[in-house]
Coordinates of all heavy atoms in Angstrom, one line a residue:
M1 N 6.0 -43.2 27.0 CA 6.9 -42.8 25.9 C 6.4 -41.5 25.3 O 5.2 -41.3 25.1 CB 6.9 -43.9 24.8 CG 7.7 -45.2 25.1 SD 9.4 -44.8 25.2 CE 9.8 -44.8 23.5
T2 N 7.4 -40.7 24.9 CA 7.0 -39.4 24.3 C 6.9 -39.5 22.8 O 6.3 -38.6 22.2 CB 8.1 -38.4 24.7 OG1 9.4 -38.9 24.2 CG2 8.2 -38.1 26.1
T3 N 7.4 -40.5 22.2 CA 7.4 -40.6 20.8 C 6.0 -40.6 20.2 O 5.7 -39.8 19.3 CB 8.2 -41.8 20.3 OG1 9.4 -41.9 21.0 CG2 8.5 -41.7 18.8
K4 N 5.1 -41.4 20.8 CA 3.8 -41.5 20.3 C 3.0 -40.2 20.5 O 2.3 -39.7 19.6 CB 3.0 -42.6 21.1 CG 1.7 -42.9 20.5 CD 1.2 -44.3 20.9 CE -0.1 -44.6 20.2 NZ -1.3 -44.4 21.1
R5 N 3.3 -39.6 21.6 CA 2.6 -38.3 21.9 C 3.0 -37.3 20.9 O 2.2 -36.5 20.4 CB 2.9 -37.9 23.3 CG 1.8 -37.0 23.9 CD 2.1 -36.6 25.3 NE 2.0 -37.8 26.2 CZ 2.5 -37.8 27.5 NH1 3.1 -36.7 28.0 NH2 2.4 -38.8 28.3
T6 N 4.3 -37.2 20.6 CA 4.8 -36.2 19.7 C 4.2 -36.4 18.3 O 3.9 -35.5 17.6 CB 6.4 -36.3 19.6 OG1 6.9 -36.2 20.9 CG2 7.0 -35.2 18.7
T7 N 4.1 -37.7 17.9 CA 3.5 -38.0 16.6 C 2.1 -37.5 16.5 O 1.7 -36.9 15.5 CB 3.6 -39.5 16.3 OG1 4.9 -40.0 16.6 CG2 3.2 -39.8 14.9
Q8 N 1.4 -37.7 17.6 CA 0.0 -37.3 17.6 C -0.1 -35.8 17.5 O -0.9 -35.2 16.8 CB -0.7 -37.7 18.9 CG -1.2 -39.2 18.9 CD -1.8 -39.6 20.2 OE1 -1.6 -38.9 21.2 NE2 -2.4 -40.8 20.2
R9 N 0.8 -35.1 18.2 CA 0.8 -33.7 18.2 C 1.1 -33.2 16.8 O 0.5 -32.2 16.3 CB 1.8 -33.1 19.2 CG 1.5 -31.7 19.6 CD 2.6 -31.0 20.3 NE 3.0 -31.7 21.5 CZ 4.2 -31.6 22.1 NH1 5.1 -30.8 21.7 NH2 4.4 -32.3 23.2
L10 N 2.1 -33.8 16.2 CA 2.5 -33.4 14.8 C 1.3 -33.6 13.8 O 1.1 -32.8 13.0 CB 3.7 -34.3 14.3 CG 5.0 -33.8 14.8 CD1 6.1 -34.7 14.4 CD2 5.3 -32.4 14.3
D11 N 0.6 -34.7 14.1 CA -0.6 -34.9 13.3 C -1.6 -33.8 13.4 O -2.2 -33.3 12.4 CB -1.4 -36.2 13.8 CG -1.0 -37.4 12.9 OD1 0.0 -37.3 12.2 OD2 -1.7 -38.4 13.0
R12 N -1.8 -33.3 14.6 CA -2.7 -32.3 14.9 C -2.2 -31.0 14.2 O -3.0 -30.3 13.6 CB -2.9 -32.0 16.4 CG -4.2 -31.5 16.8 CD -4.5 -31.7 18.3 NE -3.5 -31.0 19.0 CZ -2.9 -31.4 20.1 NH1 -3.1 -32.7 20.5 NH2 -2.1 -30.7 20.8
Y13 N -0.9 -30.7 14.3 CA -0.4 -29.5 13.7 C -0.5 -29.6 12.2 O -0.7 -28.6 11.5 CB 1.1 -29.4 14.1 CG 1.4 -28.9 15.4 CD1 2.6 -29.1 16.1 CD2 0.4 -28.1 16.1 CE1 2.8 -28.6 17.4 CE2 0.6 -27.6 17.4 CZ 1.8 -27.9 18.0 OH 2.1 -27.4 19.3
E14 N -0.3 -30.8 11.7 CA -0.4 -30.9 10.2 C -1.8 -30.6 9.7 O -2.0 -29.9 8.7 CB 0.0 -32.3 9.8 CG 0.4 -32.3 8.3 CD 1.0 -33.6 7.9 OE1 1.7 -34.2 8.7 OE2 0.7 -34.0 6.7
R15 N -2.8 -31.1 10.5 CA -4.2 -30.8 10.1 C -4.5 -29.3 10.2 O -5.1 -28.7 9.4 CB -5.2 -31.6 11.0 CG -5.5 -33.0 10.5 CD -6.8 -33.5 11.1 NE -6.6 -33.6 12.6 CZ -6.1 -34.7 13.2 NH1 -5.7 -35.7 12.5 NH2 -6.0 -34.8 14.5
R16 N -4.0 -28.7 11.3 CA -4.2 -27.2 11.5 C -3.5 -26.5 10.3 O -4.0 -25.5 9.8 CB -3.5 -26.9 12.8 CG -3.6 -25.4 13.2 CD -4.9 -25.1 13.8 NE -5.0 -23.6 14.1 CZ -6.0 -22.9 13.7 NH1 -7.0 -23.4 13.0 NH2 -6.1 -21.6 13.9
Y17 N -2.3 -26.9 10.0 CA -1.6 -26.3 8.9 C -2.3 -26.3 7.6 O -2.5 -25.4 6.9 CB -0.2 -27.0 8.8 CG 0.5 -26.6 7.5 CD1 1.2 -25.4 7.4 CD2 0.5 -27.4 6.4 CE1 1.9 -25.0 6.3 CE2 1.2 -27.1 5.2 CZ 1.8 -25.8 5.2 OH 2.5 -25.5 4.0
R18 N -2.9 -27.5 7.3 CA -3.7 -27.7 6.1 C -4.9 -26.8 6.1 O -5.2 -26.1 5.1 CB -4.2 -29.2 6.0 CG -3.1 -30.1 5.7 CD -3.3 -31.0 4.5 NE -2.2 -31.8 4.3 CZ -2.0 -33.0 4.8 NH1 -3.0 -33.5 5.6 NH2 -1.0 -33.8 4.5
A19 N -5.6 -26.7 7.2 CA -6.7 -25.8 7.3 C -6.3 -24.3 7.1 O -7.0 -23.6 6.3 CB -7.4 -25.9 8.7
L20 N -5.2 -23.9 7.7 CA -4.8 -22.5 7.5 C -4.3 -22.3 6.0 O -4.6 -21.3 5.4 CB -3.6 -22.2 8.4 CG -4.0 -22.1 9.9 CD1 -2.8 -21.9 10.8 CD2 -4.9 -20.9 10.1
A21 N -3.7 -23.3 5.4 CA -3.2 -23.2 4.1 C -4.4 -23.0 3.1 O -4.4 -22.2 2.2 CB -2.4 -24.4 3.7
N22 N -5.5 -23.7 3.4 CA -6.7 -23.6 2.6 C -7.3 -22.2 2.7 O -7.7 -21.6 1.7 CB -7.8 -24.6 3.1 CG -7.5 -26.0 2.5 OD1 -6.7 -26.2 1.5 ND2 -8.1 -27.0 3.1
Q23 N -7.3 -21.7 4.0 CA -7.8 -20.3 4.2 C -6.9 -19.3 3.4 O -7.5 -18.4 2.7 CB -7.7 -20.0 5.6 CG -8.9 -20.4 6.4 CD -8.8 -20.0 7.9 OE1 -8.1 -19.0 8.2 NE2 -9.4 -20.7 8.8
L24 N -5.6 -19.5 3.4 CA -4.7 -18.6 2.7 C -5.0 -18.7 1.2 O -4.9 -17.6 0.6 CB -3.3 -19.0 3.0 CG -2.6 -18.3 4.2 CD1 -1.2 -18.8 4.4 CD2 -2.7 -16.8 4.1
A25 N -5.2 -19.8 0.7 CA -5.5 -20.0 -0.7 C -6.7 -19.1 -1.1 O -6.7 -18.5 -2.1 CB -5.7 -21.4 -1.1
T26 N -7.7 -19.2 -0.3 CA -9.0 -18.4 -0.5 C -8.7 -16.9 -0.5 O -9.1 -16.2 -1.3 CB -10.0 -18.8 0.5 OG1 -10.0 -20.2 0.7 CG2 -11.4 -18.3 0.1
I27 N -8.0 -16.5 0.6 CA -7.6 -15.1 0.7 C -6.8 -14.6 -0.5 O -7.1 -13.6 -1.0 CB -6.9 -14.8 2.0 CG1 -7.8 -15.1 3.2 CG2 -6.3 -13.4 2.1 CD1 -7.1 -15.2 4.6
G28 N -5.8 -15.4 -0.9 CA -5.0 -15.1 -2.0 C -5.8 -14.8 -3.2 O -5.5 -13.9 -4.0
Y29 N -6.8 -15.6 -3.4 CA -7.7 -15.5 -4.6 C -8.4 -14.1 -4.6 O -8.5 -13.4 -5.5 CB -8.7 -16.6 -4.7 CG -9.5 -16.5 -5.9 CD1 -9.0 -16.7 -7.2 CD2 -10.9 -16.2 -5.8 CE1 -9.8 -16.6 -8.3 CE2 -11.7 -16.1 -6.9 CZ -11.2 -16.3 -8.2 OH -12.0 -16.2 -9.2
I30 N -9.0 -13.8 -3.4 CA -9.8 -12.6 -3.2 C -8.9 -11.4 -3.4 O -9.3 -10.4 -4.1 CB -10.4 -12.6 -1.8 CG1 -11.5 -13.6 -1.8 CG2 -11.0 -11.2 -1.6 CD1 -12.0 -13.9 -0.4
A31 N -7.6 -11.4 -2.9 CA -6.8 -10.3 -3.0 C -6.0 -10.2 -4.3 O -5.1 -9.3 -4.4 CB -5.8 -10.3 -1.8
Q32 N -6.3 -11.0 -5.2 CA -5.5 -10.9 -6.5 C -5.7 -9.5 -7.2 O -6.8 -8.9 -7.1 CB -6.1 -11.9 -7.5 CG -5.2 -13.1 -7.7 CD -5.8 -14.1 -8.6 OE1 -6.8 -13.8 -9.3 NE2 -5.3 -15.3 -8.6
G33 N -4.7 -9.1 -7.8 CA -4.8 -7.8 -8.5 C -3.6 -7.0 -8.2 O -2.6 -7.5 -7.6
S34 N -3.6 -5.8 -8.7 CA -2.4 -5.0 -8.5 C -2.7 -3.6 -7.9 O -3.8 -3.1 -8.1 CB -1.6 -4.8 -9.8 OG -2.5 -4.2 -10.7
L35 N -1.8 -3.1 -7.1 CA -2.0 -1.9 -6.3 C -1.0 -0.9 -6.9 O 0.1 -1.2 -7.2 CB -1.7 -2.2 -4.9 CG -2.2 -1.3 -3.8 CD1 -3.7 -1.2 -3.9 CD2 -1.8 -1.8 -2.5
A36 N -1.6 0.3 -7.2 CA -0.7 1.3 -7.8 C -1.0 2.7 -7.1 O -2.2 2.9 -6.8 CB -0.9 1.4 -9.3
S37 N 0.0 3.5 -7.0 CA -0.3 4.8 -6.4 C -0.2 5.8 -7.6 O 0.6 5.7 -8.5 CB 0.7 5.2 -5.3 OG 2.0 5.2 -5.9
R38 N -1.1 6.8 -7.5 CA -1.2 7.8 -8.6 C -1.2 9.2 -8.0 O -1.8 9.4 -6.9 CB -2.4 7.7 -9.4 CG -2.7 6.3 -9.9 CD -2.5 6.2 -11.4 NE -2.4 4.8 -11.8 CZ -3.4 4.0 -12.1 NH1 -4.6 4.4 -12.0 NH2 -3.2 2.7 -12.4
F39 N -0.6 10.1 -8.7 CA -0.8 11.5 -8.3 C -1.6 12.2 -9.3 O -1.5 11.9 -10.5 CB 0.6 12.2 -8.3 CG 1.5 11.8 -7.1 CD1 2.3 10.7 -7.2 CD2 1.5 12.5 -5.9 CE1 3.1 10.3 -6.1 CE2 2.2 12.1 -4.9 CZ 3.1 11.0 -5.0
T40 N -2.5 13.1 -8.9 CA -3.5 13.7 -9.8 C -3.6 15.2 -9.7 O -3.1 15.7 -8.7 CB -4.9 13.1 -9.6 OG1 -5.3 13.4 -8.3 CG2 -5.0 11.6 -9.9
R41 N -4.2 15.8 -10.7 CA -4.5 17.2 -10.7 C -6.0 17.4 -10.6 O -6.7 16.6 -11.2 CB -4.1 17.9 -12.0 CG -2.6 18.2 -12.1 CD -2.4 18.7 -13.5 NE -1.1 18.2 -14.0 CZ -0.1 19.0 -14.3 NH1 -0.2 20.3 -14.2 NH2 1.0 18.5 -14.7
C42 N -6.4 18.4 -9.8 CA -7.9 18.6 -9.8 C -8.2 19.7 -10.8 O -7.3 20.1 -11.5 CB -8.3 19.1 -8.4 SG -7.7 20.7 -7.9
G43 N -9.4 20.1 -10.9 CA -9.8 21.1 -11.9 C -9.6 22.5 -11.6 O -9.7 23.4 -12.4
K44 N -9.3 22.8 -10.3 CA -9.2 24.2 -9.8 C -8.0 24.9 -10.4 O -6.9 24.5 -10.2 CB -9.1 24.3 -8.3 CG -10.5 24.2 -7.6 CD -10.4 24.4 -6.1 CE -10.6 23.1 -5.4 NZ -10.2 23.2 -4.0
P45 N -8.2 26.0 -11.2 CA -7.1 26.7 -11.8 C -6.1 27.4 -10.8 O -4.9 27.5 -11.0 CB -7.7 27.8 -12.7 CG -9.2 27.7 -12.5 CD -9.5 26.7 -11.5
T46 N -6.6 27.7 -9.6 CA -5.8 28.4 -8.6 C -5.1 27.4 -7.6 O -4.3 27.8 -6.8 CB -6.7 29.3 -7.7 OG1 -7.7 28.5 -7.1 CG2 -7.2 30.4 -8.5
C47 N -5.3 26.1 -7.8 CA -4.8 25.1 -6.9 C -3.3 24.9 -7.2 O -2.8 25.1 -8.3 CB -5.5 23.8 -7.1 SG -5.0 22.5 -5.9
A48 N -2.6 24.5 -6.2 CA -1.1 24.2 -6.3 C -0.8 23.2 -7.3 O 0.3 23.2 -7.9 CB -0.6 23.8 -4.9
C49 N -1.7 22.3 -7.6 CA -1.5 21.3 -8.6 C -1.4 21.8 -10.0 O -0.9 21.1 -10.9 CB -2.5 20.1 -8.5 SG -4.2 20.6 -8.9
Q50 N -1.9 23.1 -10.2 CA -1.8 23.7 -11.6 C -0.6 24.6 -11.7 O -0.4 25.2 -12.7 CB -3.1 24.5 -11.9 CG -4.4 23.7 -11.6 CD -4.7 22.7 -12.7 OE1 -4.2 22.8 -13.8 NE2 -5.4 21.6 -12.3
A51 N 0.1 24.8 -10.6 CA 1.2 25.7 -10.6 C 2.4 25.2 -11.3 O 2.4 24.0 -11.8 CB 1.6 26.0 -9.1
D52 N 3.4 26.0 -11.5 CA 4.6 25.6 -12.2 C 5.8 25.8 -11.2 O 6.2 26.9 -11.0 CB 4.8 26.4 -13.5 CG 5.9 25.8 -14.3 OD1 6.3 24.6 -14.1 OD2 6.4 26.6 -15.2
P53 N 6.5 24.8 -10.7 CA 6.2 23.4 -10.9 C 4.9 22.9 -10.1 O 4.7 23.5 -9.1 CB 7.4 22.7 -10.3 CG 8.0 23.6 -9.2 CD 7.6 25.0 -9.7
P54 N 4.2 22.0 -10.6 CA 3.0 21.6 -10.0 C 3.2 20.7 -8.7 O 4.2 20.0 -8.6 CB 2.3 20.7 -11.1 CG 3.4 20.2 -11.9 CD 4.5 21.2 -11.9
R55 N 2.3 21.0 -7.8 CA 2.3 20.1 -6.6 C 1.1 19.2 -6.7 O 0.0 19.6 -6.4 CB 2.3 20.9 -5.3 CG 3.7 21.4 -4.9 CD 3.7 22.2 -3.6 NE 2.8 21.6 -2.6 CZ 2.1 22.3 -1.8 NH1 2.0 23.6 -1.9 NH2 1.3 21.8 -0.9
L56 N 1.3 18.0 -7.1 CA 0.1 17.2 -7.4 C -0.5 16.6 -6.1 O 0.1 16.5 -5.1 CB 0.6 16.0 -8.3 CG 1.2 16.4 -9.7 CD1 1.6 15.2 -10.5 CD2 0.2 17.3 -10.4
H57 N -1.8 16.2 -6.3 CA -2.5 15.6 -5.2 C -2.2 14.1 -5.1 O -2.1 13.5 -6.1 CB -4.0 15.8 -5.3 CG -4.5 17.2 -5.4 ND1 -4.6 17.9 -4.3 CD2 -4.7 18.0 -6.4 CE1 -5.0 19.1 -4.6 NE2 -5.1 19.2 -5.9
G58 N -2.1 13.6 -3.9 CA -1.9 12.2 -3.8 C -0.8 11.8 -2.8 O -0.4 12.7 -2.0
P59 N -0.3 10.6 -2.7 CA -0.7 9.6 -3.7 C -2.1 9.0 -3.4 O -2.4 8.8 -2.2 CB 0.4 8.5 -3.5 CG 0.8 8.7 -2.1 CD 0.7 10.2 -1.8
Y60 N -2.9 8.7 -4.4 CA -4.1 8.0 -4.3 C -3.8 6.5 -4.7 O -3.1 6.3 -5.7 CB -5.2 8.5 -5.2 CG -5.6 9.9 -4.7 CD1 -5.3 11.0 -5.5 CD2 -6.3 10.1 -3.5 CE1 -5.7 12.3 -5.1 CE2 -6.6 11.4 -3.1 CZ -6.3 12.4 -3.9 OH -6.7 13.7 -3.5
W61 N -4.3 5.6 -4.0 CA -4.0 4.2 -4.3 C -5.2 3.6 -5.1 O -6.3 3.8 -4.8 CB -3.9 3.4 -3.0 CG -2.6 3.8 -2.3 CD1 -2.5 4.8 -1.3 CD2 -1.3 3.2 -2.5 NE1 -1.2 4.8 -1.0 CE2 -0.4 3.9 -1.6 CE3 -0.8 2.2 -3.3 CZ2 0.9 3.6 -1.6 CZ3 0.5 1.9 -3.2 CH2 1.4 2.6 -2.4
H62 N -4.8 3.0 -6.2 CA -5.8 2.3 -7.0 C -5.5 0.8 -7.0 O -4.3 0.4 -7.1 CB -5.7 2.8 -8.5 CG -6.2 4.2 -8.7 ND1 -7.4 4.4 -9.2 CD2 -5.6 5.4 -8.3 CE1 -7.5 5.8 -9.3 NE2 -6.5 6.3 -8.7
W63 N -6.5 0.1 -6.8 CA -6.4 -1.3 -6.8 C -7.1 -1.9 -8.1 O -8.3 -1.5 -8.3 CB -7.0 -1.9 -5.6 CG -6.9 -3.4 -5.5 CD1 -5.7 -4.1 -5.3 CD2 -7.9 -4.3 -5.5 NE1 -6.0 -5.5 -5.3 CE2 -7.4 -5.6 -5.3 CE3 -9.3 -4.2 -5.6 CZ2 -8.2 -6.8 -5.3 CZ3 -10.1 -5.3 -5.5 CH2 -9.5 -6.6 -5.4
S64 N -6.5 -2.6 -8.9 CA -7.2 -3.1 -10.1 C -7.1 -4.6 -10.1 O -6.0 -5.2 -9.7 CB -6.6 -2.5 -11.3 OG -5.3 -2.9 -11.6
T65 N -8.1 -5.2 -10.6 CA -8.1 -6.7 -10.7 C -9.1 -7.1 -11.8 O -9.7 -6.2 -12.4 CB -8.6 -7.3 -9.3 OG1 -8.4 -8.7 -9.4 CG2 -10.1 -7.0 -9.1
K66 N -9.1 -8.3 -12.1 CA -10.0 -8.8 -13.2 C -11.1 -9.6 -12.6 O -10.9 -10.5 -11.8 CB -9.2 -9.7 -14.2 CG -8.2 -8.9 -15.0 CD -8.2 -9.4 -16.4 CE -7.5 -8.4 -17.3 NZ -7.7 -8.6 -18.7
V67 N -12.4 -9.2 -13.0 CA -13.5 -9.9 -12.5 C -14.3 -10.3 -13.8 O -14.7 -9.5 -14.6 CB -14.5 -9.0 -11.7 CG1 -15.7 -9.7 -11.3 CG2 -13.7 -8.5 -10.4
N68 N -14.4 -11.6 -14.0 CA -15.0 -12.2 -15.2 C -14.4 -11.6 -16.4 O -15.1 -11.3 -17.4 CB -16.6 -11.9 -15.2 CG -17.2 -12.6 -14.0 OD1 -16.8 -13.6 -13.5 ND2 -18.3 -12.0 -13.5
G69 N -13.1 -11.5 -16.4 CA -12.4 -11.0 -17.6 C -12.4 -9.5 -17.8 O -11.7 -9.0 -18.8
K70 N -13.1 -8.8 -17.0 CA -13.1 -7.3 -17.1 C -12.2 -6.7 -16.0 O -12.2 -7.2 -14.9 CB -14.5 -6.8 -16.8 CG -15.4 -6.9 -18.0 CD -16.7 -6.1 -17.6 CE -17.8 -6.4 -18.6 NZ -19.1 -5.8 -18.2
T71 N -11.5 -5.7 -16.4 CA -10.6 -5.0 -15.4 C -11.5 -4.1 -14.6 O -12.2 -3.3 -15.1 CB -9.5 -4.2 -16.1 OG1 -8.8 -5.1 -16.9 CG2 -8.6 -3.6 -15.1
V72 N -11.3 -4.2 -13.3 CA -12.1 -3.4 -12.3 C -11.1 -2.5 -11.6 O -10.1 -3.0 -11.0 CB -12.9 -4.3 -11.4 CG1 -13.6 -3.4 -10.3 CG2 -13.9 -5.1 -12.1
N73 N -11.3 -1.2 -11.5 CA -10.5 -0.3 -10.8 C -11.2 0.2 -9.5 O -12.4 0.5 -9.6 CB -10.1 0.9 -11.6 CG -9.0 0.5 -12.5 OD1 -7.8 0.2 -12.1 ND2 -9.3 0.4 -13.8
R74 N -10.5 0.3 -8.5 CA -11.2 0.8 -7.3 C -10.2 1.7 -6.6 O -9.0 1.3 -6.4 CB -11.5 -0.4 -6.4 CG -12.2 -0.1 -5.1 CD -13.1 -1.2 -4.7 NE -13.0 -1.7 -3.3 CZ -13.0 -0.9 -2.3 NH1 -13.1 0.4 -2.4 NH2 -12.9 -1.4 -1.1
R75 N -10.6 2.9 -6.2 CA -9.8 3.8 -5.5 C -9.9 3.5 -4.0 O -11.0 3.3 -3.5 CB -10.2 5.2 -5.7 CG -9.0 6.2 -5.4 CD -9.3 7.6 -5.9 NE -9.6 8.4 -4.7 CZ -9.9 9.7 -4.8 NH1 -10.1 10.2 -6.0 NH2 -10.1 10.4 -3.7
L76 N -8.7 3.3 -3.3 CA -8.7 3.0 -1.9 C -8.5 4.2 -1.1 O -7.7 5.1 -1.5 CB -7.6 2.0 -1.6 CG -7.6 0.7 -2.4 CD1 -6.4 -0.1 -2.1 CD2 -8.9 -0.1 -2.1
S77 N -9.1 4.3 0.0 CA -8.8 5.3 1.0 C -7.4 5.0 1.6 O -7.0 3.9 1.5 CB -9.8 5.4 2.1 OG -9.7 4.2 2.9
A78 N -6.7 6.0 2.1 CA -5.4 5.8 2.7 C -5.3 4.6 3.7 O -4.4 3.8 3.5 CB -4.8 7.0 3.2
P79 N -6.2 4.5 4.7 CA -6.1 3.4 5.6 C -6.3 2.1 4.9 O -5.6 1.1 5.2 CB -7.3 3.7 6.6 CG -7.5 5.1 6.5 CD -7.3 5.5 5.0
E80 N -7.2 2.0 3.9 CA -7.4 0.7 3.2 C -6.1 0.3 2.5 O -5.7 -0.8 2.5 CB -8.5 0.9 2.2 CG -9.9 0.5 2.7 CD -10.9 0.6 1.6 OE1 -10.9 1.6 0.8 OE2 -11.8 -0.3 1.5
A81 N -5.5 1.3 1.8 CA -4.3 1.0 1.0 C -3.2 0.6 2.0 O -2.5 -0.4 1.7 CB -3.9 2.3 0.3
Q82 N -3.0 1.3 3.1 CA -2.0 0.9 4.0 C -2.2 -0.5 4.5 O -1.3 -1.3 4.6 CB -2.0 1.8 5.2 CG -1.1 3.0 5.0 CD -1.4 4.2 5.9 OE1 -2.1 4.0 6.9 NE2 -0.9 5.3 5.6
C83 N -3.4 -0.9 4.8 CA -3.8 -2.2 5.2 C -3.3 -3.2 4.2 O -2.8 -4.3 4.5 CB -5.2 -2.3 5.5 SG -5.9 -3.9 5.4
H84 N -3.6 -2.9 2.9 CA -3.2 -3.9 1.8 C -1.7 -4.0 1.6 O -1.2 -5.0 1.2 CB -3.9 -3.5 0.5 CG -5.3 -3.9 0.5 ND1 -5.8 -5.1 0.1 CD2 -6.4 -3.2 0.9 CE1 -7.1 -5.1 0.3 NE2 -7.5 -4.0 0.8
V85 N -1.0 -2.8 1.8 CA 0.4 -2.8 1.6 C 1.2 -3.5 2.7 O 2.1 -4.3 2.4 CB 0.9 -1.4 1.4 CG1 2.4 -1.3 1.5 CG2 0.4 -0.8 0.1
A86 N 0.7 -3.3 3.9 CA 1.4 -3.9 5.1 C 1.4 -5.4 5.1 O 0.8 -6.1 4.4 CB 0.8 -3.4 6.4
Ligands
LIG1 ZN1 -5.5 20.6 -7.1

């Protein structure tokens, strides 16, 4: 009979699903926070970012989250940011 075998397989899938769901819950906690892109000006007076109209540098990605009640900001490199956005 296939019914019993199917039930066993479903059992196995359900256990696998639970294990993956637990992993996702952990990842979700670690990745909490918000991602924002910012354009900035540097200090160089001759730079295009000081021109009129200004050509600002960026976008730079900032990731902020709360650690023990404190807001922590971290600037991400472009590949890091892309990885988080995708
Ligand atoms: Zn500049």
